[in-house]
Amino acid sequence: MGRIIVVSNRVMDLRKAAQAGGVAVAIADLFRARKGLWFGWNGKIVDDAGASLSPAIKVARSSGGSTLATLALTSDEHRDYYLGYSNSVLWPVFHNRLDLARFDAGFYERYIGVNERFARALSTLIQPDDIIWVHDYHLIPLGALLRRAGVANPIGFYLHIPVPPSQTFLAIPEHRALARALTAYDLVGLQTQGDVANLIQFLEDSVSGRILQDGRIAAFDHRLAIESFPVGIDAASFARASLERSSAVQSVDEAQRIIGVDRLDYSKGLPQKFQAFGRFLEKYPTYRRNVVLTQIAPPTRESVEAYTDIRKQLEALSGKINGMFGELDWVPIHYIYRSTPRDRLRDIYRSSRIGLFTPLRDGMNLVAKEYIASQDPADPGVPILSRFAGAAEQLVDALIVNPYNIEETADAINAALRMEKAERMARYERLMSVIRTYDSAAWAASFLATLEAAAEERTHAVDPLTPSIRASMARLARTPLAPVGLKLARPSRRSAGHRRASHHE
Ligand code: GDG
């Protein structure tokens, strides 16, 4: 079995990754099952004068026996590739926020430039048996650039964020180039069935992609598989940790806790969550003094303009609600604007009667799964989950809400607090069975198995004949039956067009 090479924007020691969030945790879980090489940015920014750093790959052993190969970014690259194209174009558009996208000149060139530099550096490390797994929106062009560098290994791509509706995707000026780049992969993995449908529609609209009989998509000269692989958590370790009693979390004076944990990001629907909690206190006054909302919201991407407003907005909203409903001995919203250690998060999840996860759009939302897996099976809390989180496709036994509907979310908080223990336990069991079945190990294993199968088909589908022999065979096949000895005509422009079309069948 060959090595697995994981490529993602940000690379860190695996012990640190396991403590971080989102994509890093998923990758750390993956490397626990299978050793390999993790390639990407080391988080360092060097000044542009030192930009002749191209080949400076640092290779280091990580904890757990895997290898890290990393590069630094220059400050221009960090500005235009990372903050610019990745987080001010792709992130907002893919989360349906065209209004926040900044299509600045120069972002895309640098995005391609960094992907080219990554491809050049990585291609020197690849061995013939390696399987390459590229992660997330920062690196969409990487597969095509590796192919251009002659890499024939299986290459798969996984998108952790949602795919927007085709009409939204088409607004990106470079949508054709992105579509073309995606078709260079053997397999594109997405979080949900909805994302698969959106991507297929987009490839049809953008580059006339076509669905083949075997379910794969044909566009340009490529065929690719697109499937959903909902990302999971290490359910067993959460459940184990939750068995150890915790005293670490300060009590909230008999009040029942509602917990929210979200990176401070406009996609996470935090203002709507605060508003819904305020509405709940207004509509169900008997709960005042008896319930608190603890919101942990570590800041991210603070240098991106769209992220500065959200903090101010939340501070104003929590101040308003606390001022309106609070008492000398009761503060309704505890708003924690920094990161919390992971073990402590588990304790807080477990001691919270409700988990409130109301993103306006989210690829999956791992926090909802972590909350459920941390519950006491004998007295579990209730998750309330946005229908626009990828997780809602799987976690149908959560209370599903429309986060834009403040009234509905307020009512769901009331319903969750009133829910009988028997119902909470029955829902918990069904939710846990999904979370255990589709855990992080199953996610990685199913993606890699599908990638290997897809790449196998590609290599076997490759015609062993040279292009010129193939072209004359195609001409022969199209030539009407004629008396033996008649010379074949040169292909006309029209038949060349047919040849291109028939290549897609
Ligand atoms: C992206 C996609 C997709 C959060 N605060 C703290 C902390 N976290 C950890 C959580 C969880 C992770 O970060 C957040 O994961 P999410 O899935 O909720 O969201 P994103 O970060 O946006 O992740 C998302 C995911 O990728 C995976 O595919 O589900 O849709 O946007 O693990 O526990 N961890 C610690 N302190 C915190 O304060 N230690």
Side-chain angles (χ1 to χ4, degrees):
M1 192 160 51
R3 276 187 315 179
I4 162 140
I5 298 184
V6 170
V7 192
S8 69
N9 170 60
R10 183 75 167 86
V11 169
M12 61 192 89
D13 186 83
L14 286 167
R15 203 171 297 135
K16 206 167 152 212
Q19 292 298 318
V23 180
V25 173
I27 291 174
D29 284 351
L30 184 160
F31 276 125
R32 210 163 322 136
R34 195 164 165 179
K35 309 288 164 255
L37 176 80
W38 189 7
F39 178 92
W41 175 39
N42 56 16
K44 296 204 173 98
I45 301 167
V46 295
D47 66 26
D48 299 325
S52 51
L53 46 82
S54 299
I57 316 172
K58 286 216 167 63
V59 179
R61 211 94 185 122
S62 177
S63 46
S66 286
T67 306
L68 308 181
T70 56
L71 295 172
L73 292 180
T74 69
S75 45
D76 282 351
E77 287 173 339
H78 180 253
R79 186 192 59 229
D80 295 343
Y81 148 82
Y82 178 72
L83 299 174
Y85 203 73
S86 299
N87 286 311
S88 302
V89 176
L90 297 177
W91 177 275
V93 174
F94 281 35
H95 286 86
N96 278 339
R97 292 299 302 268
L98 264 177
D99 58 316
L100 295 179
R102 278 187 47 196
F103 300 111
D104 284 20
F107 282 176
Y108 182 70
E109 282 66 25
R110 199 92 64 182
Y111 176 73
I112 291 294
V114 170
N115 273 271
E116 275 169 352
R117 198 153 73 76
F118 273 33
R120 266 199 312 278
L122 180 58
S123 56
T124 63
L125 303 174
I126 296 171
Q127 294 163 10
D129 283 349
D130 291 341
I131 297 173
I132 302 158
W133 187 358
V134 180
H135 288 255
D136 235 2
Y137 55 101
H138 317 79
L139 300 173
I140 292 172
L142 193 75
L145 296 167
L146 287 172
R147 289 274 181 254
R148 200 189 288 167
V151 174
N153 304 48
I155 313 181
F157 178 75
Y158 188 82
L159 186 68
H160 290 259
I161 63 174
V163 180
S166 177
Q167 289 298 313
T168 307
F169 206 149
L170 292 171
I172 299 180
E174 301 81 15
H175 66 85
R176 271 172 193 286
L178 294 173
R180 184 171 200 128
L182 281 168
T183 62
Y185 290 101
D186 291 309
L187 171 66
V188 170
L190 304 168
Q191 300 271 22
T192 67
Q193 293 294 338
D195 293 322
V196 170
N198 280 353
L199 186 59
I200 292 175
Q201 182 66 52
F202 164 69
L203 290 174
E204 284 176 1
D205 295 344
S206 172
V207 293
S208 308
R210 290 184 313 104
I211 305 183
L212 302 174
Q213 264 179 352
D214 64 3
R216 285 187 299 159
I217 309 301
F220 305 104
D221 281 349
H222 304 126
R223 291 150 189 234
L224 82 150
I226 302 177
E227 287 185 33
S228 79
F229 302 89
V231 65
I233 60 166
D234 182 357
S237 97
F238 269 91
R240 241 190 339 268
S242 82
L243 289 177
E244 298 151 14
R245 278 214 66 77
S246 98
S247 53
V249 179
Q250 208 182 341
S251 111
V252 282
D253 296 331
E254 299 310 309
Q256 310 214 62
R257 190 199 309 271
I258 302 175
I259 183 71
V261 177
D262 307 83
R263 282 185 308 97
L264 192 58
D265 191 296
Y266 50 80
S267 65
K268 302 290 184 183
L270 289 164
Q272 288 80 353
K273 186 190 292 198
F274 283 13
Q275 281 163 0
F277 183 63
R279 176 66 186 133
F280 160 79
L281 294 174
E282 187 179 43
K283 192 168 174 183
Y284 303 99
T286 51
Y287 284 115
R288 291 185 198 167
R289 286 175 175 278
N290 296 323
V291 177
V292 297
L293 169 62
T294 300
Q295 177 63 51
I296 297 173
T300 43
R301 305 171 196 165
E302 287 173 290
S303 353
V304 177
E305 209 177 298
Y307 287 73
T308 43
D309 296 349
I310 176 102
R311 181 176 173 178
K312 285 189 205 125
Q313 204 184 347
L314 286 177
E315 278 164 359
L317 257 174
S318 56
K320 186 174 152 198
I321 293 168
N322 284 342
M324 197 183 291
F325 299 102
E327 305 281 352
L328 282 176
D329 55 353
W330 173 62
V331 180
I333 299 184
H334 293 185
Y335 173 39
I336 300 163
Y337 176 71
R338 59 177 182 279
S339 182
T340 305
R342 206 158 169 77
D343 323 349
R344 217 167 143 71
L345 270 190
R346 295 178 202 219
D347 293 339
I348 302 174
Y349 288 145
R350 188 178 164 93
S351 65
S352 300
R353 182 70 165 67
I354 295 178
L356 191 51
F357 314 113
T358 51
L360 304 178
R361 197 75 185 99
D362 213 336
M364 176 55 56
N365 195 292
L366 289 178
V367 176
K369 293 185 173 181
E370 294 168 0
Y371 169 77
I372 295 165
S374 304
Q375 294 305 300
D376 174 359
D379 188 15
V382 181
I384 298 177
L385 179 61
S386 161
R387 63 181 300 169
F388 303 122
E393 212 176 76
Q394 290 185 299
L395 305 180
V396 292
D397 282 293
L399 294 184
I400 304 291
V401 295
N402 170 3
Y404 293 97
N405 187 338
I406 304 300
E407 203 69 22
E408 186 180 299
T409 308
D411 290 344
I413 296 174
N414 176 49
L417 289 167
R418 294 169 61 89
M419 194 181 285
E420 298 290 345
K421 195 185 207 181
E423 183 175 351
R424 284 189 277 124
M425 287 171 72
R427 284 175 182 261
Y428 165 83
E429 284 306 331
R430 292 195 295 267
L431 288 164
M432 273 312 284
S433 120
V434 174
I435 291 173
R436 271 191 221 103
T437 309
Y438 300 95
D439 68 356
S440 50
W443 169 71
S446 58
F447 182 91
L448 289 169
T450 313
L451 170 57
E452 282 178 287
E456 179 100 338
E457 290 222 11
R458 168 175 53 86
T459 43
H460 282 101
V462 167
D463 200 322
L465 304 173
T466 65
S468 65
I469 296 178
R470 240 183 297 153
S472 38
M473 285 180 69
R475 278 199 301 276
L476 249 179
R478 277 195 310 277
T479 311
L481 283 178
V484 179
L486 201 73
K487 269 194 153 181
L488 289 172
R490 287 177 71 85
S492 66
R493 289 181 83 149
R494 191 153 161 249
S495 66
H498 281 165
R499 188 167 65 239
R500 215 164 21 243
S502 66
H503 199 83
H504 291 167
E505 289 324 23

